[in-house]
Amino acid sequence: MKALPWWWGLLLAFSLIALSRMFLPSAFVIEVVIFAIYTMGCNFLLGRVGFISFGQPAYLAAGAYGTAFYLFYFGTNPYIGLLVGILSGLAVSVIVGPLFVRLRSDYFALVNLALAVIIYYLMQKVLADVTKGDNGLWFLTNISSTPVLDLGKPNHFFIFTVVVGLAVWAFYKYLDDSLFGACCLATKVNEDKVQFLGYSNFGIRLVAFIIANTTSALAGAMYAVYLGFVSPEITSPARVADPVVVTILGGTGTLYGPLVGAFAYTGMKDVISKFIGNWELFIGFLLVFIMLAGERGIWGTLQPWLERLFARRRTSGPRDAPKGTRG
C-alpha cells in the first residue's frame, strides 16, 4: 500500500499529459515528453551522482543515428530501429564510461563536451558518405506499418510516447527508492563512507553513467522514428547546454523536474521566439533568478506546497457527528 501514492502520482501526471492533447497540439506534447526523457538522464547524473554533463547530445545522437542507419540502410520495422538505437547508446556508454567516470567536476563536464563535438564533426564531415552530411538521412517513407501501435501514424506515436514516458518515470522512481539509488547519492555526498561500507564508487558511477546515457539514446531513437529524419544538428555544440538548463529549470534531482522543465522550456521557446529573436536571453535571466532563489527549480519549489496541500486534505476527513442529548 505504501507504493500507491507515487504510483497514483505517476498515473495522474501522465493522464494530464494525455489529456493535454485536447487543448495543445499533439506535436508539442510529443516533443515535451521526448525532451523530458532526454533530460532525465542528465537529471539523474547531476542530482544523484553529482556529475554535470555537457555531452548528452553525443548519446542522443548515438541513439538517433543507430535508428537512422537501420531504417535507412537495412530494415523498415520502427520497433527494431528503436532497439538498435538504444543498443547503440548503450555501446557508446560502455566504451567511454570506464574512462569518463574516473574524472570529476569540470573535467567530466569538459570531456563529455569534447565527445559531443567529436561526434558532431564525425557525422557532419568524416562520415559524410554514410550520414549524408548536413543533408541528413531521410527515411520517413521507409518506415513500415506495425500491428497494435503503428508508429508511422501521429496518433499512435502519441500513445506510444506517453506509455514509454510512464515506463521511464516508473523505472527512475524505482531507482530512487532502491539500494542502488541510495548508493548513487552516497557516492555523491561521501565517497569514503561508501568505500568503507564495501561498495565500489567506480562501479556505482559507471552503472549510473550507462543508465543515464542509454536513456538519452532512447530519446534520440524516438526522435528519429518520429521525425523520419536525422542530421548532425542533433548533436550540435550549440545545444550541449539544453539538458542541463532544463534540469536546473525543472528542479535538479526531482522526479518530475524534467517534465516540468521540458514543458516550460519548450513552451517559452515556442512563445517567446515569436516576439524575440534571441529567446535564450529570457531563459538565461530565469535561470539566474532560480539559482538565486535557492536552486530548487520550478518543481522543487512547487513540490513542498503540493505535499502540504494533499496532506491537509487527507487529514481533514468528515468529523464525527456530535452525540445527541438524552430526552
Side-chain angles (χ1 to χ4, degrees):
M1 296 298 292
K2 292 182 180 179
L4 281 177
W6 70 263
W7 272 110
W8 281 114
L10 282 177
L11 291 174
L12 176 61
F14 281 90
S15 295
L16 291 175
I17 290 172
L19 291 174
S20 67
R21 189 184 174 194
M22 299 174 62
F23 52 90
L24 291 173
S26 61
F28 174 81
V29 180
I30 290 172
E31 182 180 357
V32 166
V33 176
I34 298 179
F35 198 2
I37 293 173
Y38 171 41
T39 304
M40 194 60 164
C42 182
N43 179 69
F44 185 74
L45 282 177
L46 182 56
R48 279 282 171 176
V49 192
F51 280 153
I52 182 168
S53 173
F54 290 111
Q56 295 310 110
Y59 311 103
L60 183 78
Y65 270 101
T67 299
F69 288 153
Y70 170 79
L71 292 174
F72 189 85
Y73 290 109
F74 302 107
T76 61
N77 189 307
Y79 289 103
I80 296 178
L82 287 168
L83 179 61
V84 172
I86 294 170
L87 293 176
S88 299
L90 175 63
V92 173
S93 301
V94 169
I95 291 170
V96 303
L99 301 175
F100 287 9
V101 298
R102 297 181 186 277
L103 305 173
R104 298 307 305 268
S105 188
D106 299 340
Y107 297 103
F108 179 86
L110 291 175
V111 75
N112 274 278
L113 173 60
L115 177 65
V117 174
I118 289 170
I119 290 184
Y120 174 71
Y121 284 106
L122 279 175
M123 299 305 172
Q124 185 189 43
K125 303 291 185 182
V126 179
L127 302 177
D129 292 339
V130 179
T131 65
K132 310 303 179 185
D134 288 326
N135 293 326
L137 297 172
W138 295 82
F139 47 87
L140 184 61
T141 56
N142 295 359
I143 299 176
S144 61
S145 298
T146 52
V148 186
L149 285 178
D150 184 356
L151 301 188
K153 297 179 179 179
N155 293 340
H156 289 201
F157 192 87
F158 178 87
I159 298 172
F160 175 77
T161 302
V162 173
V163 171
V164 171
L166 178 60
V168 169
W169 260 255
F171 173 71
Y172 274 95
K173 176 59 180 176
Y174 169 77
L175 284 184
D176 287 347
D177 294 342
S178 67
L179 176 61
F180 175 73
C183 288
C184 288
L185 192 57
T187 193
K188 171 186 176 183
V189 176
N190 195 318
E191 300 177 15
D192 294 334
K193 286 186 177 180
V194 173
Q195 190 172 1
F196 176 77
L197 291 172
Y199 296 102
S200 168
N201 287 293
F202 172 78
I204 293 169
R205 292 169 184 157
L206 178 60
V207 174
F209 179 87
I210 292 171
I211 291 173
N213 294 328
T214 303
T215 305
S216 295
L218 167 62
M222 292 176 69
Y223 271 129
V225 172
Y226 176 58
L227 299 173
F229 165 75
V230 172
S231 75
E233 190 62 26
I234 197 169
T235 186
S236 170
R239 301 262 65 92
V240 294
D242 285 357
V244 178
V245 169
V246 175
T247 295
I248 298 173
L249 188 63
T252 304
T254 60
L255 183 64
Y256 298 105
L259 269 176
V260 176
F263 187 89
Y265 183 87
T266 306
M268 286 188 291
K269 178 185 71 174
D270 289 354
V271 173
I272 298 173
S273 61
K274 295 180 181 179
F275 305 98
I276 304 174
N278 298 321
W279 58 271
E280 293 93 343
L281 181 65
F282 182 84
I283 302 292
F285 281 124
L286 182 59
L287 281 178
V288 171
F289 175 78
I290 288 174
M291 297 295 288
L292 293 176
E295 304 180 16
R296 293 184 296 174
I298 298 173
W299 180 252
T301 303
L302 292 177
Q303 186 177 4
W305 180 80
L306 291 173
E307 288 176 349
R308 289 194 297 269
L309 176 64
F310 283 109
R312 283 199 299 267
R313 289 188 175 183
R314 284 196 298 267
T315 56
S316 60
R319 297 179 179 178
D320 294 336
K323 297 181 179 179
T325 58
R326 294 182 179 180

